[in-house]
Amino acid sequence: MPGVVSAKSTSSARSTSCAKSTSLREGNLGKPPVSCHRPVLHGGACANAGLMPSRFDIGKIRAATLCLINRARLAHGEVALRPNPALQRAAQGHTESMAFGDYFEHIGPAGQTPAARMRAAGYIYSGRVGYEVGENLAMGTLWLATPRAIVRGWMASPGHRANILDPRFRDTAIGISPHPPAEFAHGLRGAIYTQDFGVIIHARIAR
């Protein structure tokens, strides 16, 4: 039986200026922080990009996925994203909720939006800061569950690609579970992924 893959993306900007037409706006935004964060990406392919996720190698899968994402950003002239612990809690929590709650949506069972999860995890730490956040979801079975297949699918989809290459984003996290929702996996091995993106933008104080 062939593998299956599915993906979804969303983004939300809260600001008083310069946001996407589909975004929500709130608060005060200055310019995004300047970042020179360019982690060393060794020559050759990203390690473990073709690895099938299991409960024993989630760290390797996460690192391979981030390596592929950052290679794509650098290839398009954008800075690399840096892992963020608070976003990691939000992304992994939502991944596990979907995996064991048997659903595949950005909105959780109790109505939790991506921004609400990031706020609860401490990433959006104050109502006085501006932010822009986004989220990509994907799941696949068999060979379509590897980091290489997941990122390739995201990059082939306009909405997911826009999140990956968004020049405003600075922070990211990748939640992974080797337990795709049963309704979609039909008994096949696979995985479900959540990638959260964000930037916190401090308001400028008028003088």
Side-chain angles (χ1 to χ4, degrees):
M1 184 176 181
V4 297
V5 65
S6 185
K8 294 185 178 182
S9 68
T10 188
S11 64
S12 172
R14 292 184 176 263
S15 65
T16 55
S17 65
C18 221
K20 298 176 183 177
S21 61
T22 57
S23 62
L24 301 174
R25 303 179 184 185
E26 181 180 289
N28 297 312
L29 280 185
K31 293 182 178 179
V34 175
S35 172
C36 296
H37 178 72
R38 285 181 176 268
V40 176
L41 300 177
H42 300 288
C46 292
N48 301 306
L51 189 63
M52 181 70 183
S54 77
R55 64 188 180 91
F56 302 107
D57 57 23
I58 296 302
K60 292 179 180 178
I61 299 295
R62 183 176 292 124
T65 306
L66 181 57
C67 176
L68 292 167
I69 293 292
N70 278 337
R71 280 189 181 280
R73 285 181 63 90
L74 292 172
H76 287 81
E78 304 300 341
V79 298
L81 298 172
R82 60 198 175 208
N84 180 276
L87 282 183
Q88 187 60 56
R89 290 191 292 273
Q92 190 63 35
H94 188 54
T95 297
E96 293 178 5
S97 174
M98 290 189 292
F100 298 105
D102 203 25
Y103 71 98
F104 183 59
E105 298 291 343
H106 289 289
I107 307 301
Q112 312 96 315
T113 64
R117 291 192 293 270
M118 294 176 201
R119 185 178 290 107
Y123 180 70
I124 303 171
Y125 58 87
S126 169
R128 302 183 66 181
V129 298
Y131 63 86
E132 179 174 335
V133 298
E135 182 173 88
N136 283 352
L137 304 179
M139 62 180 170
T141 60
L142 305 179
W143 64 91
L144 293 176
T146 65
R148 181 180 294 114
I150 293 296
V151 175
R152 184 176 294 160
W154 278 340
M155 288 298 290
S157 165
H160 302 86
R161 181 185 177 93
N163 276 344
I164 289 171
L165 300 181
D166 191 319
R168 294 179 69 87
F169 290 144
R170 293 291 181 266
D171 306 315
T172 194
I174 302 162
I176 302 165
S177 173
H179 302 284
E183 178 183 352
F184 302 95
H186 305 294
L188 297 175
R189 288 183 62 203
I192 185 166
Y193 292 64
T194 300
Q195 181 169 20
D196 284 339
F197 305 85
V199 60
I200 297 297
I201 306 170
H202 301 276
R204 290 181 173 178
I205 300 174
R207 295 181 182 275

